[in-house]
Amino acid sequence: MSAFSAIDADRAIDREEFTPGIEPQATWCPGCGDFAVLKALKGAMPEVGRTPEEVMLVTGIGCSGKLSSYFESYGFHAIHGRTLPVARAAKLANPGLEVVAAGGDGDGYGIGGNHFMHTARENHDLTYIVFNNEIFGLTKGQTSPTSPKGHKSKIQPHGTAKDPVRPMSLSLASGSSYIARTAAVNPRQAQEILVEAIEHDGFAHVDFLTQCPTWNKDAKQYVPYTDVQEDDEFDFDVSDRREAADAMYEAESRLWEGEVLTGRFYVQEGRPSYGQEKRAIGEMPEEPVAERYFDDDAEWERVAEELVQHHT
């Protein structure tokens, strides 16, 4: 019997199955927006029909990295900026797994920015949640790639002279096929967006605004917020790249002025994922590579010993 036979099992799933027995209670700072990500993810997985055995959560370094400790599933705690390479490898080796990567804005838009760009370009079939609190929280309040210009911190007491990264615009330009922004203060929308992102075939990027009341007093609570799908002021086609680009630019600009615009900004349907493309041209086997570990008769194209001999 396959070790992955739990995948696609048809049964009722309860959100509490995703609460681990070892660390059932998250220990982020009181008021931290990270709690909302955990709650939304726990609610989303049963809705898409996934059990803990069918999910792999890859996290990076920072406050967001603890998500994999508080969420029951397969998990991998990667080094700073390297969540996406690990997540990509897991999905390619076992396409049946639901793979979610998560990290902070410094982890994803700074140290791991190159991986973010190319993962989007290649359209890997996974969900990437970026905890965007506009600060480096775990290391005690340094400016991050999304900190607004002029933001003061310990290392920049006169304010940062750099313009911040526009994460959704960068995501669109890089090639993401699903892009959304939500906020910790809007739990209903957050869960809905995570469900859509997980069900999307291709690279789904969710910029999740998570307030940091300990180290980023400027961000406050990201309220009031406006859902661009529900406000008459915003009328754009999420499948149109040009219209989506304009909406993203507007949302990113208004955030620095204190107005929070959330919602779905770009959705591209029908585009093959990286794994589908590789299988179509014969560079990946149809059978999941991970299954070979449990097949005594499986033949490997290359083995570790050959790689060592070749490179030493």
Side-chain angles (χ1 to χ4, degrees), residues 5 16 33 39 48 63 70 79 90 97 123 125 147 152 192 217 222 255 302:
S5 58
E16 287 308 310
K39 180 180 179 181
V48 299
C63 300
Y70 306 142
I79 60 175
L97 273 178
N123 197 35
D125 186 18
S147 297
K152 295 181 180 180
E192 290 175 355
K217 309 297 184 183
Y222 294 116
L255 180 63
R302 302 183 73 179

Side-chain angles (χ1 to χ4, degrees), residues 13-287:
I13 305 163
D14 187 271
R15 62 178 296 138
E16 287 308 310
E17 294 182 41
F18 293 92
T19 300
I22 297 177
E23 288 191 84
Q25 179 58 52
T27 56
W28 290 302
C29 298
C32 176
D34 293 5
F35 287 99
V37 183
L38 177 61
K39 180 180 179 181
L41 191 59
K42 282 184 176 182
M45 283 302 173
E47 196 169 333
V48 299
R50 291 300 200 179
T51 66
E53 296 80 12
E54 299 171 322
V55 180
M56 180 168 183
L57 177 61
V58 184
T59 55
I61 302 299
C63 300
S64 60
K66 291 292 288 179
L67 183 68
S68 56
S69 298
Y70 306 142
F71 185 83
E72 181 69 19
S73 69
Y74 290 109
F76 193 104
H77 200 162
I79 60 175
H80 219 166
R82 303 298 183 265
T83 56
L84 289 174
V86 175
R88 285 157 48 173
K91 187 65 176 182
L92 291 173
N94 187 9
L97 273 178
E98 195 64 65
V99 178
V100 177
D105 48 301
D107 187 286
Y109 303 145
I111 299 165
N114 56 331
H115 296 300
F116 173 54
M117 178 177 67
H118 292 292
T119 303
R121 179 175 67 89
E122 295 169 355
N123 197 35
H124 288 264
D125 186 18
L126 55 92
T127 302
Y128 187 34
I129 306 170
V130 180
F131 293 55
N132 184 359
N133 57 13
E134 302 180 273
I135 203 77
F136 278 105
L138 188 65
T139 49
K140 310 299 185 287
Q142 296 82 7
T143 52
S144 78
T146 56
S147 297
K149 189 173 183 178
H151 177 83
K152 295 181 180 180
S153 67
K154 291 180 178 180
I155 59 172
Q156 293 174 316
H158 301 293
T160 176
K162 295 177 286 188
D163 287 321
V165 166
R166 292 179 177 268
M168 292 191 293
S169 296
L170 175 62
S171 186
L172 181 67
S174 298
S176 298
S177 51
Y178 180 96
I179 305 169
R181 169 174 277 175
T182 189
V185 292
N186 192 348
R188 176 186 60 80
Q189 183 202 59
Q191 181 170 320
E192 290 175 355
I193 282 178
L194 288 190
V195 167
E196 292 177 11
I198 292 166
E199 291 182 333
H200 177 74
D201 294 326
F203 186 62
H205 166 222
V206 179
D207 187 64
F208 206 124
L209 298 174
T210 53
Q211 70 276 2
C212 179
T214 302
W215 298 108
N216 190 6
K217 309 297 184 183
D218 294 344
K220 303 188 187 305
Q221 299 292 317
Y222 294 116
V223 288
Y225 60 83
T226 299
D227 188 325
V228 295
Q229 267 76 50
E230 297 180 358
D231 194 288
D232 293 337
E233 180 186 351
F234 305 96
D235 182 18
F236 66 98
D237 182 356
V238 296
S239 66
D240 187 296
R241 288 181 65 90
R242 291 185 181 277
E243 292 186 22
D246 290 341
M248 291 174 188
Y249 191 91
E250 184 73 12
E252 289 159 343
S253 299
R254 290 199 191 186
L255 180 63
W256 306 326
E257 298 168 1
E259 184 178 359
V260 182
L261 303 182
T262 63
R264 298 83 170 160
F265 285 86
Y266 183 66
V267 182
Q268 182 185 29
E269 302 288 0
R271 177 181 162 198
S273 68
Y274 183 78
Q276 290 172 326
E277 295 274 21
K278 296 289 277 187
R279 283 187 287 273
I281 61 176
E283 291 190 356
M284 279 187 63
E286 290 294 332
E287 178 190 31

Side-chain angles (χ1 to χ4, degrees), residues 282-295:
E283 291 190 356
M284 279 187 63
E286 290 294 332
E287 178 190 31
V289 175
E291 293 283 2
R292 298 185 184 185
Y293 285 99
F294 308 96
D295 184 356

